[in-house]
Amino acid sequence: MKAAYRRVLRVGCAALLLGCSGRQHAEPVRMSAPAETTEPPPSLPAGAVVGDAALQIRWNSETRAAPAPMVPLATGCRGVDARLSQVAQACAVRLAAGGGSIEPSDLAMAMRVVGSPYVWPKLWTLRTSPSATDTEQRARRWIDRTSSGNRLCGVGTVDAASRRYVALIAADALGELSPLPTLVRQNRWVTVEARLGGNEGSVIALGPSGAPRILPSAGAGDRLRASFAVDQPGRWAIQILVRAGDGPRPALEAWIHAGAAPETRVKALRAPGEGAASAGAPDERLVAMINAARRQVGLRSLRQHPDLNAVADRHVQTMLAASRIGHRLGTGSPAERVGNAGIDAEKVGENVARAASLARVHRSLWASPSHRGNLLDRRFTHIGVAVAESDGQLWVAQLFIAL
């Protein structure tokens, strides 16, 4: 069965980021201790222009929580975070300037720049009159529809030309991250610490090049701790995974820049394999991108499995029906869904994503430590992919198996 675009007419204003890998992809990597450079790191730039949306965001010196007082527009959220509000304000400014929709990947990059560790942000925007009396009620209805009970919010408003422009961001807060520096010397050892509310977790570090590393970690109670050396110059992506109700998923994320100043123009970088296919069915094009990326690092190509395509397609339809991405949405885990289809796999992994184009899907998955782990797992032999279109966004499921 070939997966193809399936057009579904749905109405919604939320922007959802990515799912996560179905299973951890490697054993923890134990690292030697390189000599830390003695040169001071470059200065942190004052701000950045982020993504195609050109959001104006200020770099902060560390990634951490930033609790702020509750405001009426955020009633229904667990709390307000000042850094989420900085991103929301940038979105409101763009809205007032006549800008259109904002890609989930741009929203996520803005959160990393501003130093907010939270994930899976959703964005709600409104153009209204400053004298409107129903704005708070409309915001509350949106929060009630999207809230998981663990959401923190940020609010931005702009009054211009007799109109009020409102942006509300809600992001999942599945843990508390101890402050992490944005800029450090190359080869410095960095310690990642978090509280995960009793959830089991792991830490993944993705350097400027190479495969992601699952870091050896220790913990007591609800605390998780891992240390590693930033042994390559450039941007490192840090991701903490937890096992939540809908399967393993990112809980906290941060960027660390080693020995090199952060960019003043932040854009999603092209991923290896992105130009591998310009024609064909959507699933075939994504598989071509993945296999091209694997070949660049010396890995064998994955073969499409027709039955696995069908499993992926059913999961995409389940995600659309639920209006959210995840791995456990009432139809079983990835391994259970594969097994129920009569496929006897030794190992199963899954990536799920939502973006505006196939290239953006591939870029976003490549940029995520846990997702790249699935893309580059040398043990996988076959892949199944499904793509559906809804409201100008592509919903994607990628299933990986070893036979």
Side-chain angles (χ1 to χ4, degrees):
M1 169 180 175
K2 294 295 184 185
Y5 283 127
R6 184 173 299 188
R7 186 172 297 276
V8 183
L9 297 179
R10 302 180 64 88
V11 177
C13 57
L16 191 61
L17 193 56
L18 298 174
C20 71
S21 54
R23 290 183 180 177
Q24 292 182 357
H25 47 271
E27 294 300 318
V29 175
R30 300 193 178 276
M31 303 171 62
S32 59
E36 181 176 343
T37 59
T38 57
E39 295 181 2
S43 300
L44 192 69
V49 178
V50 178
D52 294 337
L55 297 175
Q56 303 284 334
I57 301 292
R58 179 173 63 86
W59 280 101
N60 280 313
S61 61
E62 58 187 13
T63 296
R64 62 174 178 82
M70 179 58 71
V71 296
L73 278 172
T75 302
C77 295
R78 196 183 82 187
V80 174
D81 184 88
R83 295 189 173 182
L84 288 178
S85 290
Q86 290 178 38
V87 179
Q89 186 65 27
C91 294
V93 168
R94 184 175 188 276
L95 188 67
S101 61
I102 297 172
E103 275 292 300
S105 57
D106 288 353
L107 198 62
M109 288 190 296
M111 290 172 60
R112 300 293 83 81
V113 169
V114 83
S116 173
Y118 306 115
V119 298
W120 286 26
K122 293 186 177 183
L123 173 65
W124 178 80
T125 59
L126 177 68
R127 296 175 177 88
T128 188
S129 167
S131 60
T133 60
D134 64 343
T135 303
E136 293 175 14
Q137 291 84 353
R138 294 170 72 175
R140 177 60 186 265
R141 286 196 296 269
W142 177 76
I143 291 170
D144 289 344
R145 288 197 304 271
T146 61
S147 177
S148 64
N150 289 313
R151 290 200 184 277
L152 293 177
C153 290
V155 177
T157 60
V158 172
D159 289 340
S162 301
R163 302 289 289 174
R164 174 163 293 168
Y165 301 88
V166 180
L168 177 60
I169 292 176
D172 282 2
L174 298 180
E176 299 177 13
L177 181 69
S178 296
L180 274 178
T182 301
L183 188 58
V184 299
R185 293 186 179 93
Q186 185 182 345
N187 293 334
R188 173 179 165 179
W189 279 82
V190 174
T191 297
V192 180
E193 294 184 286
R195 300 185 66 168
L196 302 178
N199 290 315
E200 182 180 338
S202 58
V203 182
I204 303 177
L206 177 60
S209 63
R213 311 168 183 174
I214 296 181
L215 304 179
S217 59
D222 63 350
R223 292 184 177 274
L224 179 70
R225 187 176 189 273
S227 297
F228 71 105
V230 286
D231 55 4
Q232 298 178 41
R235 182 202 298 170
W236 288 73
I238 312 303
Q239 190 177 72
I240 296 176
L241 293 181
V242 298
R243 293 192 174 275
D246 58 354
R249 54 167 294 180
L252 298 163
E253 295 183 352
W255 284 352
I256 297 175
H257 296 78
E263 309 96 313
T264 56
R265 185 70 174 94
V266 180
K267 298 188 71 174
L269 301 177
R270 286 180 60 87
E274 191 173 312
S278 58
D283 63 315
E284 295 172 339
R285 291 166 62 190
L286 274 177
V287 172
M289 293 179 194
I290 292 168
N291 282 336
R294 287 174 64 90
R295 288 193 296 270
Q296 285 191 28
V297 295
L299 297 176
R300 63 185 172 186
S301 296
L302 301 174
R303 295 173 57 191
Q304 268 194 285
H305 192 297
D307 294 338
L308 203 59
N309 282 353
V311 177
D313 184 65
R314 287 193 291 271
H315 190 61
V316 166
Q317 300 311 310
T318 298
M319 293 192 295
L320 280 168
S323 296
R324 66 188 182 95
I325 58 176
H327 300 286
R328 291 179 177 267
L329 298 177
T331 57
S333 68
E336 290 168 341
R337 286 185 268 114
V338 169
N340 290 339
I343 303 171
D344 186 17
E346 297 177 1
K347 178 180 172 62
V348 176
E350 182 176 67
N351 289 343
V352 290
R354 176 185 167 188
S357 68
L358 294 176
R360 285 182 179 272
V361 167
H362 186 58
R363 287 181 194 178
S364 298
L365 293 172
W366 183 261
S368 167
S370 55
H371 297 85
R372 193 187 299 187
N374 275 341
L375 297 174
L376 297 183
D377 193 318
R378 65 179 59 252
R379 291 167 290 184
F380 288 136
T381 58
H382 292 76
I383 187 172
V385 176
V387 182
E389 183 181 12
S390 175
D391 296 333
Q393 293 284 301
L394 302 182
W395 295 62
V396 175
Q398 301 172 344
L399 276 166
F400 306 84
I401 60 172
L403 291 180

